[in-house]
Amino acid sequence: SWEFWFGLLQGYKQTYGDCLVQQGYKSISNNKLGAWISAQRQLKKDSKLEQKRVAMLDSLDFVWDSNEHAWLTGIAELYLFKEKYGDCLVPSNFVTKSNHKLGIWTFNQRADKDELSLEKKSTLDNMGFIWNVADYKWHEGYKALIGYKKEFQTTSVKQNYVTPFGFKLGQWVSRQRCRKDLLS
């Protein structure tokens, strides 16, 4: 019955603290709770879920749109990252203290840029989100090279040279020389 599944969800929430059950999740008794959750979301979306049941699920802080919830969690974590590190250049393997895979989340935002709503793109833009990391890093290297030339009157940078702010300019210049035929 519906109440049986609701009870399983209550148990899940007691154990894990939320109702964010993954699609393939099975309970200890091998019940496919994840599939039931998906069905409840679809029923509500189709206006076929009784209001009483909607209220019962709402009482558990049920997440009706898991994609939107994931995006909001990601943007909140990105705000914290930027506050701590000063930019939105999250390393690809970065995981937050709350175990959110923020590096993967930021990668996905870049990969899905064309599918994001204007509002989401604008939110990211207003944070200073870098959409093309390779271009950004190239321009950072170029700015560092200009600074080096102003200071030393040359662009002949030793391979092991690191700028005072930690940029490995020598390696960057060496890569540009090796890839000169590939540069635009």
Side-chain angles (χ1 to χ4, degrees):
S1 73
W2 192 92
E3 288 72 18
F4 168 79
W5 290 100
F6 183 77
L8 287 177
L9 181 59
Q10 286 176 309
Y12 181 94
K13 181 166 184 179
Q14 285 178 334
T15 302
Y16 299 104
D18 61 44
C19 295
L20 297 169
V21 181
Q22 297 294 317
Q23 173 70 24
Y25 176 83
K26 293 180 184 177
S27 68
I28 294 172
S29 56
N30 210 28
N31 292 301
K32 296 179 181 178
L33 184 59
W36 183 80
I37 295 290
S38 292
Q40 302 316 297
R41 288 182 177 132
Q42 190 61 50
L43 286 169
K44 183 174 187 265
K45 186 176 179 181
D46 296 341
S47 301
K48 293 180 181 177
L49 187 61
E50 293 175 29
Q51 201 54 41
K52 173 186 149 195
R53 291 179 175 176
V54 170
M56 289 174 71
L57 290 167
D58 284 343
S59 74
L60 297 178
D61 297 322
F62 188 80
V63 173
W64 292 103
D65 187 336
S66 59
N67 291 331
E68 186 65 15
H69 181 271
W71 197 87
L72 292 171
T73 301
I75 200 71
E77 293 287 1
L78 185 59
Y79 272 113
L80 294 173
F81 181 92
K82 183 174 183 182
E83 192 173 275
K84 183 173 183 177
Y85 298 103
D87 61 41
C88 297
L89 292 170
V90 181
S92 60
N93 61 351
F94 188 86
V95 178
T96 66
K97 288 181 183 176
S98 62
N99 209 30
H100 186 267
K101 295 177 181 175
L102 188 59
I104 292 172
W105 185 87
T106 55
F107 174 85
N108 288 338
Q109 301 318 296
R110 290 182 183 106
D112 297 339
K113 181 181 180 185
D114 294 337
E115 283 82 44
L116 290 176
S117 70
L118 290 175
E119 181 184 355
K120 288 179 180 178
K121 283 185 207 177
S122 179
T123 299
L124 289 164
D125 285 339
N126 291 335
M127 289 180 66
F129 191 76
I130 306 300
W131 293 101
N132 188 319
V133 176
D135 281 353
Y136 175 81
K137 288 184 177 182
W138 190 90
H139 286 287
E140 288 298 298
Y142 183 70
K143 284 192 283 188
L145 182 60
I146 289 170
Y148 184 91
K149 184 170 189 216
K150 282 181 183 174
E151 184 174 348
F152 300 106
Q153 283 72 49
T154 184
T155 57
S156 182
V157 183
K158 293 186 183 207
Q159 177 112 19
N160 62 350
Y161 179 78
V162 178
T163 65
F165 54 92
F167 187 81
K168 296 177 181 178
L169 183 59
Q171 291 178 10
W172 183 87
V173 168
S174 178
R175 275 195 310 277
Q176 305 319 302
R177 288 187 178 121
C178 290
R179 301 176 66 219
K180 73 178 181 176
D181 294 336
L182 301 174
L183 295 175
S184 62

